[in-house]
Amino acid sequence: MALNQSYDLFFIFIFNLSLLFSLLPFSFSQTVADAPSPAADTCNGIFLSYAYTSGTKLKPTDPKHQPYRFESVLTVLNNGDEKLKSWRAFVGFKNDEYLVSASNAVLADGTSLPANVGNGTIFAGYPMTDLKTAIETAGDLNQIQVQVKLLGTQFGVAAPGVPLPETIHLANDGFLCPKPSLQGKSEMQVCCTKDPKFKTNVTVEDEFLPRQSGDLTIMYDVTRTYDSNYWAQVTISNHNPLGRLDNWKLSFDWMRDEFIYTMKGAYPYVVDSSDCIFGPQGQHYRDLDFGNVLNCERRPTIIDLPLTKANDTTMGMIPKCCRNGTILPPTMDPSKSSSVFQMQVFKMPPDLNRSELSPPQNWKINGTLNPNYKCGPPVRVSPSQFPDPSGLPSNTTVVASWQVVCNITRPKNASPKCCVSFSAYFNESVVPCPTCACGCLRNSANTCRANATAVLVPPEALLVPFENRTAITRAWADLKHFTVPNPMPCGDNCGVSINWHLYSDFSRGWSARITIFNWDETAFPDWFAAVQLSKATPGFQKMYSFNGTALELNGVNNTIFMQGLPGLNYIVAETDAANPQKDPRVPGKQQTVISFTKKTTPSINIAAGDGFPSKVFFNGEECALPSMLPTNSGNRKGSTTVISILIAVLVFMLVQQ
């Protein structure tokens, strides 16, 4: 009997306990910030910690490169007296980590997850970008602290080892972070404080961060907003004097199930609404005709419209739109250095009110033969202002604005897309583009040598495609007693090659000839090139077939910028020869002579290397340079030149037959 009473009391206790939980104003499924580490109490700045929580061995088994799952938590806590705006934290991963997911943050370089982060990465806050102070929130951890739960794969660190990063620190400007300290074996901590020497133009009262400068900026301006959708204007602006985009493609990630209903001034690369029809969007917008929806991808790719759509009342009529994806540097034409489009974005619950606005994340932009751009996260800035469309002398302010800053970078092990060859009046041979300058195919080892030094060639070899140079190169090597490896070195595989030729050198001046070859099937309208001559640029005088100007970069006058003259600013694509069955294809070509004076550079030594550029750019892309210069060894042109050319051409013709 006593046992039954005990059971009754137990069940009554459980029932009352469940009733109590049901009356609480929150549920256990709610996200509540964990209490900070006790070490945070001694930090009067920004406290960061990285705690490894768990890990397991993964398949496949590989003793040399064994994968392990890891879970960890990155904590950023604002213990300072000022709001931390757009927080950014660096985690120095060192175990070839492959990050699968991260809560409450995105990668600051615009990379979408999953991603390789083995060389370290910077996290940026999302959706909570700012961390308030304990003073203004009465210590509410949900407003002053963010915890990023990380899940990924690391290689080589098995239990009982702990795969901690090399370091952690705050990536925001104006903070000093000492070396992190270990808390046990599975956690590292650091307290970052304000740098008293750091000067900023931002005051505590500023609601938004100031707009930043960069090689390329993207503005995301919300111009009109409604409960279920809004209109956004995207402005891509080029600020780098040598930056450029051709046939640009812009991509980003929707983070809250948004989708693009319609666009003006640009268009999705893929028009597809199936993800909406079979997804939560179709369940919510039951009366919406998804046949008119342009794109429902989580990561859409946007392309520019052709010039013919500029005055189209449905797709165009947006200033600075529809330029076929070309964004020129401001040094060429400021009016063509930006591109604009608009899109109508539909939102999903719980964001169905006109004040809930969230920009897409993980922005990326690239072109065809252009520099690589790495973009940061969108940062909330003061609302943009545009001239009143009615023509009145007033400005119209948008609802909200975010800025994305992109800078030109060269990824590790990335190949360029153009190359340079050197030649000179004092040497009959041309130093060609480096072997595999723009990359080589994986199976090329069977037919050519990717690690062999390029063989010197006669000038006429530059006029034919690389695959047609073998006979000419071998004939020239036999004539000049050059060593030729077997198999021959691989080609440069570049779509554009540039020859820099020292044309003359005399007491009062010197000259060079530059020839641009287009081996690609794509033409280059409004092309430009630039060369850096560290000692010779001050003596630049004139360019005869191009429009050339001396350009000052970063306060240094060492660059010559060149573009085609009006009517000659178009390099055609590679075409068939007059007799395609017999003759090799013909590249598009542009050429000019450049003259220099020695009056301003009296100590210059042209033949010793001062007359060769240290950097060459084509359409913003930095080209690969030869590893050596032509030598002044007394091998001057003479009667042997004509004979050698005849022999080379004769051998070439015999081989072709």
Side-chain angles (χ1 to χ4, degrees), residues 113-143:
L113 295 179
N116 290 307
V117 294
N119 293 324
T121 191
I122 296 177
F123 291 95
Y126 180 84
M128 189 166 69
T129 60
D130 302 339
L131 297 180
K132 297 181 179 180
T133 67
I135 299 172
E136 60 182 323
T137 63
D140 183 1
L141 288 178
N142 290 308
Q143 300 185 66

Side-chain angles (χ1 to χ4, degrees), residues 518 520-525 570-573:
N518 181 11
D520 209 338
E521 295 183 356
T522 303
F524 295 110
Y570 193 93
I571 301 181
V572 300

Side-chain angles (χ1 to χ4, degrees), residues 120-273:
T121 191
I122 296 177
F123 291 95
Y126 180 84
M128 189 166 69
T129 60
D130 302 339
L131 297 180
K132 297 181 179 180
T133 67
I135 299 172
E136 60 182 323
T137 63
D140 183 1
L141 288 178
N142 290 308
Q143 300 185 66
I144 68 174
Q145 174 182 276
V146 64
Q147 291 184 319
V148 183
K149 296 182 179 180
L150 306 175
L151 170 64
T153 302
Q154 54 92 7
F155 291 85
V157 182
V162 177
L164 288 178
E166 185 74 28
T167 185
I168 57 172
H169 62 77
L170 194 68
N172 294 67
D173 294 332
F175 286 87
L176 297 175
C177 299
K179 182 179 179 180
S181 60
L182 291 177
Q183 182 74 17
K185 295 183 178 180
S186 60
E187 184 175 353
M188 62 194 319
Q189 304 170 342
V190 66
C191 179
C192 301
T193 56
K194 288 188 293 185
D195 183 358
K197 298 181 181 179
F198 180 76
K199 295 182 180 180
T200 178
N201 57 358
V202 183
T203 63
V204 180
E205 291 77 19
D206 288 340
E207 184 178 358
F208 305 107
L209 285 172
R211 302 184 183 216
Q212 302 295 314
S213 58
D215 295 324
L216 186 89
T217 58
I218 303 173
M219 289 301 304
Y220 191 82
D221 296 310
V222 176
T223 57
R224 287 175 286 167
T225 180
Y226 311 96
D227 286 345
S228 62
N229 66 89
Y230 65 86
W231 276 91
Q233 178 166 296
V234 180
T235 305
I236 309 168
S237 301
N238 180 19
H239 306 288
N240 189 297
L242 297 181
R244 179 190 175 113
L245 283 167
D246 293 284
N247 300 306
W248 58 258
K249 291 183 178 180
L250 178 69
S251 58
F252 45 75
D253 286 337
W254 294 118
M255 307 299 286
R256 306 181 71 83
D257 292 330
E258 299 98 330
F259 60 93
I260 302 174
Y261 185 78
T262 188
M263 297 185 69
K264 293 174 73 67
Y267 213 64
Y269 187 70
V270 175
V271 177
D272 185 9
S273 60

